[in-house]
Amino acid sequence: MGRLDGDRRGWLRGAPPPRWVRALPLLLIAGVCVATLTSPEPLDIGFMLGAIPPLAVLSYGPAATALLGAAVVVMLNLPAFQLDQPGQTDVLTVSFVAVLSVFVAYVRRRRDDQLDTERTIAEAAQNAVVPPVPERVGPVRCAGLYRAAQRGTLVGGDFFDVRASDHGVRAVLGDVQGHGLAAVATVASLLGAFREAVLDQPDLARVAARLDRRLTVDSARVTHAELFATAVLLEFTPDAEAVSVVVCGHPPPVLLREGTATELDVVPWTPLGLGLPEGAPLTAHVLPLRPGDRLFLASDGVSEARDAAGVFYPLLDRLPALAAGADPATTGERVWTDVLRHCPAVRDDVTMLVLEPADRADHWADRRADH
């Protein structure tokens, strides 16, 4: 499952610096050496060497920074470089800057180590809350992609999961109120309820009712919490020849069939946490599946992405071409790349889930192997 598009932090936001930043101190030393050794007259450019220790702090640890600082002091005192005989005050100033840079490099290295530890913990928490989707669950091939909107975070307000049960493969994709770290607790609560309901509840409508009750109970514990979430739930039959769909305030799944993309005509119900209607029972929409069919689920972060002119991302128009000849994982990555072209500054959590019934011959071969 895709989590991050490379390292989205950027080197000014905690990611390792690029190579050109690491090369700056060495290039500056080389430039001063070449200029002074080739010039017939002394050059008053010794002040440039004073910038080398601070530049080293950006990329190097205290030991390397100290080594570069010592090299600068030596260069200032070697007659061969003809740096216009810097005075004692200049040498002391550069030496003080070098020592201070070593201290700053030490502090930065300790801070980076702490941030790396915290990021590792965050990734472990992310995998615990929203674990990667397996490539295959029973007779269904799966791929999930997640991008959190809040910069610097790995989890947010979207969630998905795919689980096997005695009734078939069940999947959920949803979006809780808000996004970022404030929504993580609600996501964890919903996914926990889903994983229990998958094992206990005999049909998809009751799974949705369990999630609705979980949010209703959680909301009642906090004054004016008003927790709610949109979600779409699916249940593939054990042979993956049909799928049942329940939509609770969420965009319905898109069916990819024979080069076309069609949004399923599913009767929507209220979002989870607001109380499912009691007068009209919640029923699932049943869709027979054909060989080659694929279901694409996405949060509204995809469909509501706008370009500079305010035009929404045309998912249905572009999805057939993006999915052509691609496996589920590649399909999600292609859509994400295309969304970024359409709207480089995506401001909402983006979640995608691509589900494809495996070739039935492969499925029955796997079942015979299991027996």
Side-chain angles (χ1 to χ4, degrees):
M1 178 184 63
R3 294 287 182 173
L4 294 172
D5 192 16
D7 196 328
R8 297 173 62 203
R9 294 175 292 166
W11 72 277
L12 293 178
R13 296 181 179 272
R19 293 180 180 178
W20 66 269
V21 175
R22 295 178 60 85
L24 278 179
L26 302 177
L27 291 176
L28 187 55
I29 288 178
V32 171
C33 288
V34 171
T36 55
L37 294 177
T38 58
S39 174
E41 301 293 334
L43 298 177
D44 191 12
I45 58 173
F47 68 93
M48 297 180 64
L49 296 176
I52 292 175
L55 286 175
V57 172
L58 296 175
S59 306
Y60 299 98
T65 302
L67 182 62
L68 289 170
V72 167
V73 174
V74 170
M75 289 178 63
L76 286 172
N77 286 278
L78 282 180
F81 289 105
Q82 305 182 73
L83 291 171
D84 202 19
Q85 299 180 354
Q88 190 68 17
T89 302
D90 295 335
V91 175
L92 290 176
T93 300
V94 173
S95 300
F96 175 77
V97 171
V99 172
L100 185 61
S101 297
V102 171
F103 173 73
V104 174
Y106 172 77
V107 173
R108 183 192 61 80
R109 175 59 59 85
R110 293 291 299 271
R111 183 205 62 185
D112 288 351
D113 290 343
Q114 180 64 28
L115 290 177
D116 288 341
T117 300
E118 293 176 357
R119 188 170 180 84
T120 300
I121 294 172
E123 290 175 347
Q126 170 186 266
N127 288 332
V129 175
V130 186
V133 174
E135 292 184 3
R136 180 166 174 171
V137 178
V140 180
R141 293 192 180 96
C142 318
L145 184 143
Y146 188 97
R147 298 292 186 269
Q150 185 172 334
R151 186 179 292 274
T153 62
L154 302 178
V155 291
D158 287 1
F159 62 94
F160 57 82
D161 201 2
V162 182
R163 299 276 164 164
S165 74
D166 293 338
H167 308 282
V169 175
R170 289 171 169 175
V172 64
L173 183 144
D175 182 2
V176 308
Q177 176 190 15
H179 59 261
L181 298 179
V184 173
T186 306
V187 167
S189 180
L190 276 175
L191 284 176
F194 172 76
R195 289 160 188 166
E196 289 294 328
V198 161
L199 301 176
D200 300 336
Q201 300 303 316
D203 58 68
L204 201 58
R206 296 187 186 184
V207 175
R210 177 72 68 85
L211 299 183
D212 177 74
R213 187 181 68 176
R214 176 74 270 165
L215 269 189
T216 302
V217 171
D218 290 348
S219 183
R221 294 175 180 173
V222 182
T223 305
H224 306 302
E226 297 181 354
L227 295 177
F228 68 89
T230 64
V232 56
L233 297 95
L234 292 86
E235 178 183 281
F236 290 85
T237 57
D239 56 10
E241 292 186 352
V243 62
S244 301
V245 182
V246 168
V247 172
C248 298
H250 198 277
V254 175
L255 173 65
L256 285 162
R257 172 178 287 174
E258 298 177 353
T260 63
T262 307
E263 198 171 72
L264 295 184
D265 186 16
V266 182
V267 177
W269 295 88
T270 57
L272 301 173
L274 301 182
L276 296 178
E278 297 181 359
L282 179 63
T283 57
H285 173 83
V286 179
L287 173 71
L289 294 174
R290 304 175 187 172
D293 284 355
R294 184 179 297 177
L295 291 170
F296 181 89
L297 293 75
S299 64
D300 55 12
V302 175
S303 57
E304 295 182 1
R306 303 190 188 193
D307 61 12
V311 178
F312 289 108
Y313 178 71
L315 176 63
L316 294 180
D317 294 337
R318 298 191 183 183
L319 187 56
L322 295 172
D327 58 20
T330 303
T331 299
E333 292 292 346
R334 286 180 178 178
V335 173
W336 170 243
T337 302
D338 198 48
V339 169
L340 285 181
R341 291 195 191 102
H342 183 81
C343 177
V346 178
R347 300 183 180 276
D348 197 2
D349 296 331
V350 170
T351 307
M352 304 178 206
L353 190 60
V354 186
L355 304 172
E356 177 184 41
D359 182 78
R360 294 194 174 103
D362 292 343
H363 172 54
W364 288 112
D366 291 343
R367 293 193 64 176
R368 287 194 297 270
D370 292 339
H371 291 294

